[in-house]
Amino acid sequence: MSNYLTNRIRSLLGRKTPDGKKKSIRLGLALGGGGARGLAHIPILELLDEMKIKPCCIAGTSIGAVMGALYASGLSGSEIRRLVQDTIIRKNDSPVEILKDIRRLVKLLDIDFIGPGVFKGDSIMKYLYDAIKIDNFDKLEIPLKVVTTDFWASSQVIISSGDLLQGVKASMGLPGLFTPVKYEDKILIDGGGVNPVPWDVLDECDLIVAVDVLGYAESVSDSPPNAVKAILDMFDIMQKSIVKARMKSGGPDVYIKPELKNIGILEFNRADEIYACAEASCSELEEKLMKFYPEIPPSS
């Protein structure tokens, strides 16, 4: 364990309230972007539920904003997992089930080939609303900060009040795929363009846990990628560079990066594989959190 983390544990555990009681630790949770790889957030959320640790605030970018909104609304990690499983194509589905899943996904993606993005995103937002029945940040059980990018100003915009669905839609607006969102006087796109893992916006927490789901690319080929893969992978490369630079200037207290290898941004059908990859990270996170919350018994 690093000296920094050891010192942080000592300083937080040693805090007292004016009446001499131990002061509770306020945990801030940053959920990063990464498309389908963001499903790895779900086992992390399930672990927090199992440990009975409730974040005081959540920050999310792109798919992290979606997962953050679901969790902040009051859904448990296991409920989010069931919601996802009811939506995506599963590995062992029969041909009939796959056909039904494909039809549902096509309807959900709201395809628009003549607009500024291939997908409008409106149907996904309706699906999100149907799942949580909340359309405003103020109604969430846990405060949520959604990170987006101001396209014309090339700057970060944090949305934490007002229209929840518009904020989440803007944060997941991957250029070329999803239609940009007009928000007040700005045109907003995917928050990954400025802050892929937004731990630095959690400024009112004692302990910050960041989950980076950008994954790793190991494929090597002599053939050039097709146009879509080139664009998506280039965005990935850019996001990883941003995270690397931010880590040099000061990272979160606990940084978790699941071993997600060669999983594409749109490969939601590999959910079970993604969950499995996240399990080792859950063990790592539990071990680190137990240092800050020694009163919590280890999970079974």
Side-chain angles (χ1 to χ4, degrees), residues 48-89:
L48 293 179
D49 290 337
E50 189 172 352
M51 297 183 74
K52 294 181 171 56
I53 297 175
K54 184 176 182 178
C56 71
C57 186
I58 300 172
T61 293
S62 198
I63 186 68
V66 177
M67 293 294 169
L70 290 168
Y71 197 62
S73 74
L75 292 181
S76 67
S78 59
E79 287 172 333
I80 297 173
R81 184 190 287 253
R82 286 196 295 271
L83 182 67
V84 170
Q85 290 297 98
D86 289 340
T87 306
I88 64 173
I89 299 173

Side-chain angles (χ1 to χ4, degrees), residues 4 20 47 113 131 204 226 240-241 260 273 278 286:
Y4 168 79
L47 173 64
F113 290 111
E204 298 177 358
N226 60 45
K240 290 173 183 176
S241 296
L260 301 162
E273 183 180 345
E286 181 181 18

